[in-house]
Each structure stands twice: as C-alpha cells, then as structure tokens.
Amino acid sequence: MIEEEVVEYYKFLYLRGHVSLLSGNISVRTDDCILITPTSAPKPLLTPRDLVCIDLRGNVVRGERRPSSEWRMHVAIYRARPDVNAVVHTHAVLPTILAERLKPGLLAESESYLGGGIAVVPPIKPGTWELAEAVAAALARDNVAVLKKHGVVAVGPALAEAVNRAEVLNDIALATLAEIWSGGP
Ligand SMILES: [Zn+2]
C-alpha cells in the first residue's frame, strides 16, 4: 500500500538525519489525489491513516488532518512536472549550507542518480506560493534543489527515486565537505 510506503520512507529519512522530528514532508501522486504528510506531527511516528489526500489546488479530498504547510510547493511541482510522482522535502543541513559549492563530479555515479544538475533557490519564506513557484521553476529541468537556509527538495517518478536522490545529494555534500577539509583543489 502506498500509504505504508510513505510512512516507512519517512522513517528512513528521519533515522538518517535528513529531517528532525517535526520537519520535512513527503508526497506521492496517486490516481485520484496527492497523498501528503500532515502538518505539526512527529512524522517518524505517523501511521498510514494520518496521511492527507489533496487535489492540485490544495483542497483536502480525504483525511482528518491538515496537509503539510508546504503543500503549495508539492502541488506546484506536480503541476509543472507530469513525469514526477513523488516529492521529498528534507532539512538536511550539509547540502543546505554548501548549496552552490556542492560538487556532484566528486562521486562518479551521483550524476546519473540525480538525472540532472543541482538547482539552487534563494532564501524565500517557507509555506508561500512564492517559494512554491520558485522551486517548481528550479526543478523544470533538474530533480534536486537546494533551498538556501532551508533544506532540500528531491523529486522522482516514484518515491524510491526521490528518496535516493535526497540521499545522493547528502553524499555529495559529505564528499564536498571532505574535500574542503582535506585542502582539495
Ligand atoms: Zn521545510
């Protein structure tokens, strides 16, 4: 069941340090709606029935909770990218701080996993349409974006690819930091 997948993948992201207890959000596009994590909940403890189904305008179709405060960002991405069926937003610290300095070329396979470059979005107030539209525009060609002073967005045709891209971006950040520490080129 896709709801169980969302809940399980969220735990992976939490356990690997990509999000804190209340931060971040995940959504998937299903046949009839966008299934998204709720706002203001300790997300590693979510159960499938805590998820909320919204339409492409943000109206709640199913579910008892309120959708993530970043629902606008998820909706804007799905509107702009018909090929995308999963959106992952984390607050991973390293890629967020390194942003333009990230070097995907340090890890040979990372570029093929990302399937594009790393977009960088300037600091914009969270939860706004302004941020949603800036992220959707940044992801017109790329599958990962760093939101400066905020976090990371990764997208994919399914949840596994989107989560993997968030992890690969974190690996690139670790490699970049290691290179800086070791006084690399
Ligand atoms: Zn955020």
Side-chain angles (χ1 to χ4, degrees):
M1 197 168 76
I2 190 69
E3 286 85 352
E4 280 161 6
E5 233 180 278
V6 170
V7 167
E8 286 300 308
Y9 275 112
Y10 210 96
K11 283 183 191 140
F12 297 161
L13 290 170
Y14 176 72
L15 293 172
R16 295 206 64 199
H18 291 260
V19 288
S20 59
L21 200 62
L22 297 177
S23 76
N25 31 76
I26 285 185
S27 72
V28 290
R29 195 202 307 255
T30 69
D31 289 341
D32 62 341
C33 66
I34 311 290
L35 191 65
I36 190 165
T37 47
T39 189
S40 312
K43 294 186 198 73
L45 302 178
L46 290 178
T47 66
R49 49 179 304 181
D50 293 320
L51 302 178
V52 189
C53 248
I54 59 173
D55 65 19
L56 280 172
R57 284 172 301 186
N59 301 310
V60 175
V61 176
R62 269 199 314 279
E64 282 154 28
R65 290 176 175 257
R66 281 192 302 131
S68 162
S69 59
E70 292 292 7
W71 64 266
R72 293 171 187 82
M73 187 168 78
H74 292 253
V75 162
I77 293 168
Y78 290 120
R79 283 185 195 158
R81 291 278 304 268
D83 60 314
V84 162
N85 294 309
V87 175
V88 170
H89 170 47
T90 77
H91 285 181
V93 172
L94 270 188
T96 302
I97 298 303
L98 289 166
E100 300 93 339
R101 298 165 77 191
L102 290 166
K103 293 185 179 177
L106 287 175
L107 302 173
E109 284 183 57
S110 66
E111 281 164 317
S112 63
Y113 279 130
L114 294 185
I118 301 169
V120 176
V121 177
I124 299 173
K125 192 176 177 208
T128 60
W129 275 116
E130 189 189 357
L131 177 65
E133 277 152 20
V135 173
L139 291 175
R141 276 193 302 270
D142 299 322
N143 295 312
V144 291
V146 172
L147 284 46
K148 291 194 80 168
K149 299 191 176 182
H150 181 167
V152 162
V153 179
V155 302
L159 203 43
E161 285 88 350
V163 170
N164 185 58
R165 283 170 176 157
E167 295 188 307
V168 167
L169 191 61
N170 214 54
D171 289 346
I172 292 168
L174 281 169
T176 304
L177 186 64
E179 200 201 42
I180 293 168
W181 269 342
S182 62

